[in-house]
């Protein structure tokens, strides 16, 4: 009992982690399945056919490419705008600053279906044709709040004396920003960008309302689930999960190496 009490937090953490990873493991296992029918819900036999031909299902890779393009452009737009908004909210005092701070949280707190319907109403009133551009605008808008929150937290923790020291050493505004401010804020900007990319790539509700005839990867998966789930969907999901793990592990390794180099010898 004493051992259990000492390690209760660790055990609870490991169980929670296992619970979160379990769906990914199931997707990974069933990516090597050869189903008997259209639905890949029951294990039949081991096969690597889907891995050898991930684009074997019509329109799957096309929808995947489209989702990646939208996620990439939405991430760039949301990161640039979100970083500037975060710096403005932290560094400057202006009228309606408190109101803007409150409005930033609205897309995060608002139900997605409400935001999706509101955006659809806006696009219809403007006479916009639903498709790639309406999806991109919608994704950039709802990702913006998450980037602002991530960057704002980082900027608030920055020591302004570092920038003052750079100016005392005759560094200009641009040089101070590029060599001092931006490197310090970079982890927050990177975190906001990765979060925006994941949210954009994964979004279904807002995309479904504002897509018209355009089909993204989440919409393709939803449509496939109605008539049969190809194994290639599990392959793509496993590849995306593995890539995310590699990026996180790589970032952690780089961070650990930098910390070791910073330690006095």
């Amino acid at each position: 009992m004493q051992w259990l009490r000492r390690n209760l937090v660790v055990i609870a953490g490991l169980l929670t982690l296992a619970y979160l990873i379990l769906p990914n493991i199931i997707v990974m296992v069933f990516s090597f399945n050869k189903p008997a029918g259209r639905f890949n819900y029951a294990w039949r036999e081991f096969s690597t056919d889907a891995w050898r031909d991930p684009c074997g299902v019509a329109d799957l890779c096309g929808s995947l490419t489209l989702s990646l393009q939208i996620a990439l452009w939405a991430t760039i737009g949301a990161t640039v705008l979100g970083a500037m908004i975060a710096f403005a909210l932290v560094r400057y005092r202006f009228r309606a600053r408190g109101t803007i701070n409150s409005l930033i949280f609205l897309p995060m707190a608002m139900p997605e279906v409400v935001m999706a319907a509101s955006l659809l109403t806006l696009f219809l009133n403007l006479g916009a044709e639903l498709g790639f551009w309406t999806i991109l605008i919608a994704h950039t808008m709802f990702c913006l709040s998450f980037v602002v929150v991530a960057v704002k937290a980082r900027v608030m923790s920055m020591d302004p004396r570092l920038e003052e020291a750079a100016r005392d050493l005759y560094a200009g505004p641009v040089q101070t920003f590029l060599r001092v401010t931006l490197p310090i804020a970079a982890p927050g900007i990177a975190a906001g960008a990765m979060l925006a990319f994941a949210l954009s790539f994964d979004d279904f509700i807002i995309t479904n309302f504002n897509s018209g005839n355009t089909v993204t990867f989440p919409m393709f998966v939803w449509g496939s689930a109605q008539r049969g789930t190809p194994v290639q969907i599990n392959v793509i999901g496993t590849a995306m999960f593995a890539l995310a793990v590699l990026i996180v592990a790589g970032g952690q390794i780089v961070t650990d190496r930098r910390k070791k180099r910073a330690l006095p010898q």
Side-chain angles (χ1 to χ4, degrees), residues 74-84 144 147 151 189-190 192-194 196:
T75 299
I76 293 173
T79 302
V80 172
L81 294 174
M84 291 191 294
L144 187 64
V147 176
V151 179
I189 297 174
M194 288 190 291

Side-chain angles (χ1 to χ4, degrees), residues 162-163 166-167 171-183:
L162 297 175
E163 295 169 299
R167 288 192 291 267
V174 176
Q175 194 174 18
T176 300
F177 178 78
L178 293 177
R179 296 198 174 186
V180 179
T181 308
L182 188 58

Side-chain angles (χ1 to χ4, degrees), residues 58-202:
D59 298 328
L60 188 150
C61 284
S63 63
L64 176 64
T65 303
L66 180 64
S67 286
L68 291 173
Q69 289 176 348
I70 292 174
L72 178 62
W73 288 113
T75 299
I76 293 173
T79 302
V80 172
L81 294 174
M84 291 191 294
I85 292 172
F87 273 99
L89 290 174
V90 174
R91 294 295 180 84
Y92 299 98
R93 299 292 180 268
F94 51 89
R95 207 174 278 182
R97 178 172 172 268
T99 304
I100 294 175
N101 260 320
S102 301
L103 290 174
I104 287 296
F105 286 95
L106 276 181
M108 302 172 64
M110 186 184 301
E112 276 197 79
V113 67
V114 176
M115 187 186 303
S118 302
L119 285 167
L120 176 60
T121 303
L122 173 65
F123 292 137
L124 291 178
N125 287 332
L126 293 175
E129 182 180 353
L130 299 181
F132 177 88
W133 292 108
T134 53
I135 297 174
L136 179 59
I137 293 170
H139 283 206
T140 303
M141 198 209 74
F142 80 80
C143 290
L144 187 64
S145 297
F146 294 91
V147 176
V148 171
V149 172
V151 179
K152 185 181 173 185
R154 181 65 178 178
V155 175
M156 290 178 68
S157 66
M158 290 172 56
D159 189 351
R161 291 176 296 182
L162 297 175
E163 295 169 299
E164 293 174 2
R167 288 192 291 267
D168 289 341
L169 295 172
Y170 304 103
V174 176
Q175 194 174 18
T176 300
F177 178 78
L178 293 177
R179 296 198 174 186
V180 179
T181 308
L182 188 58
I184 297 175
I189 297 174
M194 288 190 291
L195 183 59
F197 185 88
L199 290 169
S200 175
F201 181 82
D202 187 55

